[in-house]
Amino acid sequence: QVQLKESGGGLVQAGGSLRLSCAASGKIFRINSMSWYRQTPGSQRELVAHISSSGRTNYAESLKGRVTISRDNEERTVDLQMHSLKPEDTAVYYCNAEIVRFGSNWPHKYWGQGTQVTVSS
């Protein structure tokens, strides 16, 4: 069993900052890429930021310069630091990771349960 658990969401005023964290646990052999997505009601889940196993990062254009993704391979965590938040950043933020479990030859994508981020104007 593999689990991803997010933390750090909440209510913040426009212009504020927030740091989200996600911890992976379970019978994990290797974690490949890790990502953060977000979703608002009625919309598709969209990629916020992605980090490869080697640390290469990619960001959504709308968030470049305002978010930073980082990971700790020993702790099996991935963080998302967000600055200059806007009301339109309000969404449920999900952690995603491509993980190879012990006893498996193939990676699978796993999702966390999501954490709500609300930015007030």
Side-chain angles (χ1 to χ4, degrees), residues 4 6 35-49 60 63 91-97 109-115:
L4 298 177
E6 302 102 334
S35 305
W36 284 94
Y37 285 75
R38 68 183 183 183
Q39 188 172 24
T40 55
S43 299
Q44 287 193 337
R45 201 168 289 188
E46 64 172 353
L47 178 69
V48 173
L63 290 151
V92 177
Y93 285 70
Y94 295 91
C95 174
N96 172 271
K109 288 199 171 184
Y110 293 87
W111 292 92
Q113 82 286 355
T115 185

Side-chain angles (χ1 to χ4, degrees), residues 3-121:
Q3 286 188 327
L4 298 177
K5 184 170 178 60
E6 302 102 334
S7 61
L11 174 64
V12 63
Q13 286 189 331
S17 300
L18 211 57
R19 188 177 185 90
L20 306 182
S21 294
C22 173
S25 63
K27 296 182 178 181
I28 297 170
F29 174 67
R30 184 178 71 245
I31 300 177
N32 294 338
S33 63
M34 304 184 86
S35 305
W36 284 94
Y37 285 75
R38 68 183 183 183
Q39 188 172 24
T40 55
S43 299
Q44 287 193 337
R45 201 168 289 188
E46 64 172 353
L47 178 69
V48 173
H50 171 276
I51 184 167
S52 71
S53 56
S54 63
R56 181 177 296 180
T57 58
N58 287 304
Y59 297 97
E61 282 296 324
S62 62
L63 290 151
K64 271 186 182 178
R66 298 195 295 120
V67 299
T68 303
I69 189 170
S70 60
R71 65 187 284 173
D72 184 322
N73 291 329
E74 284 198 17
E75 295 295 322
R76 296 175 176 174
T77 59
V78 60
D79 290 352
L80 185 72
Q81 179 69 53
M82 301 187 289
H83 302 283
S84 303
L85 285 163
K86 305 174 182 180
E88 50 264 43
D89 294 320
T90 295
V92 177
Y93 285 70
Y94 295 91
C95 174
N96 172 271
E98 188 178 89
I99 293 172
V100 180
R101 294 179 301 170
F102 277 110
S104 173
N105 293 326
W106 307 105
H108 295 275
K109 288 199 171 184
Y110 293 87
W111 292 92
Q113 82 286 355
T115 185
Q116 176 71 45
V117 171
T118 302
V119 184
S120 63
S121 57

